[in-house]
Amino acid sequence: MSFEVDQDILQDFLIEAGEILELLSEQLVDLEQSPDDPDLLNAIFRGFHTVKGGAGFLQLTPLVDCCHVAENVFDTLRKHQRTVTPELMDTVLSALDTVNEMFDEVRAGQMPENADPELILQLEFFAKPEAETEDAVSEVEAAVSEPEPVQPVEPPISAVQDAEGDITDAEFESLLDALHDGGAPTASSSVADSTPPEPKAPLADAASGGDDITEDEFEALLDQLHGSGKPPTPVVEESKPEAPVAAGGDDLITDDEFEALLDQLHGKSSSPTQPDLSNNSAKEPEKSADQVPKQVAATQKPAAPAKPPAPAVEKKVAPKKETAPVAETTVRVDTSRLDDIMNMVGELVLVRNRLVRLGGQSSDSEVAKAVSNLDVVTADLQTSVMKTRMQPIKKVFGRFPRVVRDLSRKLKKEINLRLIGEDTDLDKNLVEALADPLIHLVRNAVDHGIENPDDREQKGKPRVGEVVLSAEQEGDHILLTISDDGAGMNPQVLRNKAVEKGQLEQDAADRLTDQEAFNLIFAAGLSTKEEISDVSGRGVGMDVVKTKISQLNGTINVWSEEGKGSKIIIKVPLTLAIMPTLMVMLGQQTFALPLVNVNEIFQLDISRANIVDGQEVLVIREKTLPLFYLKEWLVQGSDVSRELKNAHVVVVSVGTQKVGFVVDQLIGQEEVVIKPLGEMLHGTPGMAGATITGDGRIALILDIPGVLKHYAKSAR
């Protein structure tokens, strides 16, 4: 069921609530480590409260209900009425998952479904203080121990105090009954102890309740009061105030008239037959009579000083004016606008490259100086625009504490996750693209790497394993490292698995170095797990990681030592919009190789190449390097000479493998802007896009993994 709201308000809610929910996921995991942190408890409470407020404004009732109960849980926790337990955290995290699901439905324009009733009941249970029952019992006992004679007066008092409009006939009659019961003189002790307080309470409450009684009701009250318990002698003298009170006409009674009425009522409650008791009882009513007008006056005075709220409001408004400039320091901009700006900067970079080429050919010093200045300004502008698209990798890292926490509880392991370099910035598109590969690697470290606590103790390790996720910038690239202090990998087990799965012959497996054997974990369908579970064992996770990193023009390397742990290092460019490349010539055509894939360049005599298993190879530093002729693949009708004495060989990395490409000419390094291929060339194997070179020509950007996958197999 869809809902209709103001789209601007909805977008503001989605942005703000999305940020809060991401932060809540991290804070809830931190809470298990610091359950008594008051700042953390208050922050989580405010998070649920803010989301609830925004959802309430949009009338998203299911989201409001779920956040409200979760908010109550943390209100109880921050008041130290309940302690944090694993069961409580499981319930709250489930509630956060439900809120996230509702949030996704709202983002899709649908009214969210109601939360699971069982989840709401569990939250309501944890929202109650642990000692609530004991406190309730003690409160009841304390209430029962109060003097019982006051109890019959409670119903009319509460009725009068809680009234929002004019009192009803039934309420007024109950008030009169209470007055009759309390005003009649009884035994001497009861007259002194219980009679005076009883008429005070209902009259004081009736007068201060804020509701006006009619003239007829008031006269009836006076008549009944005079008729019940009226002393024979003092009444004549004390009944004089009746005239001014009853003669109110259409006007309300004054304070003096009301006080006179109270004095008259207290005078009636004394008994003339027992002087000593009457004197005592007269003193007590005098005290109570003095207190009652003070209470009445106190209840009536707040009506006059209604001005104090005004200065309070002014004080609250003043700080807002001071904080207003701070709120304007950030502006939310749609990412499509940033993409447009980045595209225009890319065009400017192409023009810059063209002018730099022309400036180098010109003999005019002024032109060269202007081109040099343009080069510097364009580079600064390019850097600044790239920074606007940058996001801290914390946006991705923030998901993993919850992943590790849930997996460790499920697998019954004790694991501590350490995050390093969360403030490292990289392109927004890369942040989103790296999420899935990193999740696979972290899950793999928790499941495959870290041992059970008992096994770790037997090996002399601490029961709690550690997984470290770090990020750092290295030039124009980002290095991501996932390491653990677990069991590590046995290269021989990996060789045997590859042979068992039919991916390698026994002889080829035996020739693999330990480093090459570790790279077998990225082979599709290979897993060292004997049993398949919903966490791992199918042999597809690491294959997905390798494929995704290759698509990002990145590299991945593995290091491991059995019994000590493993480390996986990923290297990706800072941005995908502008790419540093190595320009090469194949015949008369220019091609661009992503610089992130280029390891080194040789000028060799390729006539000394050998053929192994049908593949032409070169031996460099006692290692064999597969050799491929790009011109033979990419330029039709070209004649390739394999007897060159001084051929240019570009060594590139593809995942964990290195190969050599033979090219005709090296042009140099150049930053290019990736342009998508047209419809006719879209989907061409081995092509990542196109760009315009400094001399104005079009160059194709090679997708090196795609080139090898398509042409190397077909060549064999």
Side-chain angles (χ1 to χ4, degrees):
M1 180 180 66
S2 61
F3 60 98
E4 295 182 1
V5 295
D6 187 286
Q7 288 302 312
D8 292 337
I9 298 177
L10 178 61
Q11 290 303 317
D12 289 342
F13 169 74
L14 292 176
I15 293 172
E16 182 182 8
E19 295 173 354
I20 292 174
L21 292 177
E22 287 181 5
L23 189 59
L24 279 175
S25 180
E26 303 173 28
Q27 292 172 335
L28 288 175
V29 178
D30 293 340
L31 184 62
E32 280 192 306
Q33 308 299 325
S34 306
D36 298 325
D37 188 344
D39 295 334
L40 192 56
L41 288 171
N42 287 327
I44 297 173
F45 173 83
R46 287 193 302 269
F48 279 111
H49 181 75
T50 304
V51 175
K52 182 189 77 169
F57 186 80
L58 296 173
Q59 297 182 353
L60 305 174
T61 305
L63 187 55
V64 171
D65 294 342
C66 190
C67 289
H68 178 67
V69 186
E71 172 191 6
N72 291 342
V73 174
F74 288 94
D75 189 34
T76 304
L77 289 174
R78 67 178 186 165
K79 292 178 181 177
H80 306 290
Q81 296 174 341
R82 181 175 285 278
T83 56
V84 176
T85 61
E87 292 76 14
L88 183 147
M89 291 306 304
D90 288 340
T91 303
V92 173
L93 288 170
S94 298
L96 181 62
D97 292 339
T98 301
V99 171
N100 280 317
E101 292 173 3
M102 293 181 180
F103 184 75
D104 292 337
E105 293 177 3
V106 174
R107 181 178 289 163
Q110 300 294 323
M111 177 63 72
E113 298 291 335
N114 290 323
D116 184 5
E118 183 65 26
L119 175 63
I120 299 297
L121 290 176
Q122 292 177 359
L123 289 172
E124 289 176 346
F125 171 78
F126 288 117
K128 298 177 182 178
E130 291 177 339
E132 184 184 41
T133 306
E134 297 177 1
D135 294 341
V137 171
S138 60
E139 289 177 2
V140 171
E141 292 176 351
V144 171
S145 63
E146 294 294 327
E148 294 184 357
V150 184
Q151 291 181 357
V153 188
E154 289 181 0
I157 292 176
S158 60
V160 175
Q161 289 177 338
D162 296 339
E164 297 180 355
D166 295 336
I167 61 173
T168 62
D169 294 341
E171 293 169 343
F172 190 76
E173 289 178 1
S174 63
L175 176 62
L176 296 179
D177 294 339
L179 290 172
H180 282 298
D181 295 337
T186 56
S188 58
S189 60
S190 63
V191 169
D193 297 336
S194 61
T195 304
E198 289 185 359
K200 175 184 72 171
L203 282 176
D205 290 335
S208 60
D211 298 322
D212 302 330
I213 61 175
T214 64
E215 182 180 359
D216 295 335
E217 292 171 338
F218 190 78
E219 291 179 354
L221 173 61
L222 293 177
D223 294 338
Q224 293 187 23
L225 289 173
H226 285 296
S228 61
K230 182 172 69 172
T233 306
V235 168
V236 178
E237 298 177 357
E238 296 182 4
S239 61
K240 293 180 180 178
E242 285 185 16
V245 173
D250 295 332
D251 299 328
L252 300 175
I253 62 174
T254 64
D255 293 342
D256 296 334
E257 293 170 342
F258 188 77
E259 290 179 5
L261 172 62
L262 292 177
D263 294 338
Q264 178 185 0
L265 291 174
H266 285 295
K268 289 179 182 181
S269 58
S270 61
S271 176
T273 56
Q274 297 179 356
D276 295 337
L277 293 177
S278 63
N279 291 334
N280 294 336
S281 61
K283 291 179 182 179
E284 291 184 3
E286 286 175 3
K287 293 180 182 179
S288 60
D290 293 336
Q291 294 173 357
V292 171
K294 292 179 181 179
Q295 295 177 357
V296 174
T299 56
Q300 291 177 349
K301 284 179 182 178
K307 295 181 180 179
V313 173
E314 291 177 0
K315 291 180 181 178
K316 292 181 180 178
V317 173
K320 291 184 179 179
K321 292 181 179 179
E322 294 176 2
T323 57
V326 179
E328 295 176 357
T329 57
T330 59
V331 178
R332 288 194 177 106
V333 180
D334 193 90
T335 54
S336 61
R337 295 188 181 183
L338 295 178
D339 293 339
D340 292 340
I341 295 174
M342 195 66 191
N343 291 335
M344 289 186 285
V345 170
E347 296 295 337
L348 181 60
V349 169
L350 296 179
V351 175
R352 186 271 313 268
N353 294 343
R354 178 66 172 158
L355 289 175
V356 168
R357 182 74 63 89
L358 295 175
Q361 299 173 357
S362 175
S363 58
D364 191 338
S365 61
E366 293 298 325
V367 172
K369 186 182 295 184
V371 170
S372 177
N373 290 337
L374 177 64
D375 185 15
V376 173
V377 172
T378 304
D380 292 342
L381 178 61
Q382 174 186 340
T383 303
S384 299
V385 173
M386 286 175 59
K387 287 181 178 179
T388 62
R389 290 170 50 92
M390 295 291 188
Q391 285 185 339
I393 201 168
K394 183 179 181 180
K395 186 177 178 65
V396 178
F397 281 12
R399 307 179 185 182
F400 298 121
R402 172 75 186 279
V403 172
V404 173
R405 185 257 181 200
D406 291 346
L407 272 180
S408 60
R409 282 182 60 81
K410 183 175 184 179
L411 300 174
K412 297 181 180 179
K413 296 182 179 180
E414 299 177 16
I415 301 174
N416 178 42
L417 175 66
R418 188 153 57 97
L419 302 177
I420 303 174
E422 296 177 88
D423 296 331
T424 305
D425 292 333
L426 69 162
D427 190 272
K428 169 183 163 303
N429 295 333
L430 273 174
V431 169
E432 298 170 353
L434 285 171
D436 287 342
L438 289 178
I439 286 178
H440 280 294
L441 293 175
V442 171
R443 289 168 63 92
N444 191 71
V446 172
D447 189 24
H448 290 269
I450 303 297
E451 313 96 326
N452 291 323
D454 295 339
D455 295 338
R456 291 179 63 86
E457 281 189 336
Q458 293 177 1
K459 296 177 182 179
K461 294 182 177 182
R463 288 181 61 87
V464 180
E466 184 177 59
V467 176
V468 180
L469 186 58
S470 66
E472 61 178 323
Q473 184 173 345
E474 186 181 77
D476 293 334
H477 297 84
I478 292 290
L479 289 181
L480 300 172
T481 305
I482 301 94
S483 60
D484 64 76
D485 62 349
M489 291 185 288
N490 187 332
Q492 188 57 44
V493 172
L494 292 170
R495 294 187 187 99
N496 296 338
K497 279 288 182 181
V499 174
E500 179 185 332
K501 297 289 184 179
Q503 296 179 349
L504 286 177
E505 297 292 336
Q506 186 64 51
D507 293 341
D510 293 339
R511 290 198 299 268
L512 292 178
T513 64
D514 288 350
Q515 188 63 41
E516 292 170 339
F518 292 145
N519 292 329
L520 290 174
I521 63 175
F522 299 109
L526 191 146
S527 176
T528 56
K529 273 279 188 179
E530 298 296 337
E531 297 180 359
I532 297 177
S533 67
D534 58 346
V535 178
S536 62
R538 295 179 176 83
V540 296
M542 301 302 285
D543 178 45
V544 171
V545 170
K546 179 184 176 182
T547 303
K548 191 66 177 179
I549 298 301
S550 298
Q551 291 174 354
L552 298 175
N553 297 319
T555 60
I556 184 168
N557 294 294
V558 183
W559 172 91
S560 182
E561 184 175 353
E562 190 174 9
K564 291 189 176 181
S566 303
K567 179 186 293 184
I568 297 178
I569 302 174
I570 299 174
K571 185 178 182 181
V572 293
L574 275 174
T575 178
L576 299 177
I578 297 178
M579 178 188 298
T581 62
L582 174 66
M583 292 291 184
V584 300
M585 293 289 292
L586 301 176
Q588 300 299 317
Q589 180 65 45
T590 305
F591 291 89
L593 301 176
L595 201 60
V596 67
N597 297 113
V598 177
N599 284 98
E600 51 187 337
I601 300 173
F602 292 114
Q603 193 169 359
L604 299 174
D605 180 4
I606 61 174
S607 61
R608 297 183 302 173
N610 300 316
I611 296 178
V612 178
D613 293 337
Q615 172 63 52
E616 196 168 355
V617 298
L618 279 174
V619 179
I620 300 176
R621 302 189 187 99
E622 298 181 356
K623 290 185 178 181
T624 58
L625 182 72
L627 204 60
F628 300 101
Y629 295 84
L630 282 180
K631 187 176 180 180
E632 193 175 54
W633 290 348
L634 303 176
V635 181
Q636 292 184 353
S638 59
D639 295 329
V640 178
S641 174
R642 286 176 165 77
E643 301 298 327
L644 294 175
K645 298 293 184 181
N646 294 310
H648 300 287
V649 179
V650 180
V651 180
V652 298
S653 297
V654 183
T656 57
Q657 184 183 7
K658 293 182 179 180
V659 300
F661 287 151
V662 180
V663 300
D664 293 346
Q665 183 182 349
L666 298 172
I667 298 176
Q669 180 179 344
E670 189 172 321
E671 286 186 336
V672 300
V673 179
I674 304 176
K675 299 292 183 182
L677 298 172
E679 293 183 1
M680 294 183 63
L681 296 177
H682 187 68
T684 303
M687 298 299 164
T691 188
I692 300 176
T693 63
D695 57 5
R697 294 191 296 176
I698 296 177
L700 294 176
I701 303 172
L702 298 182
D703 171 22
I704 294 178
V707 168
L708 288 174
K709 184 177 181 180
H710 180 75
Y711 293 103
K713 290 184 178 180
S714 61
R716 290 187 180 182

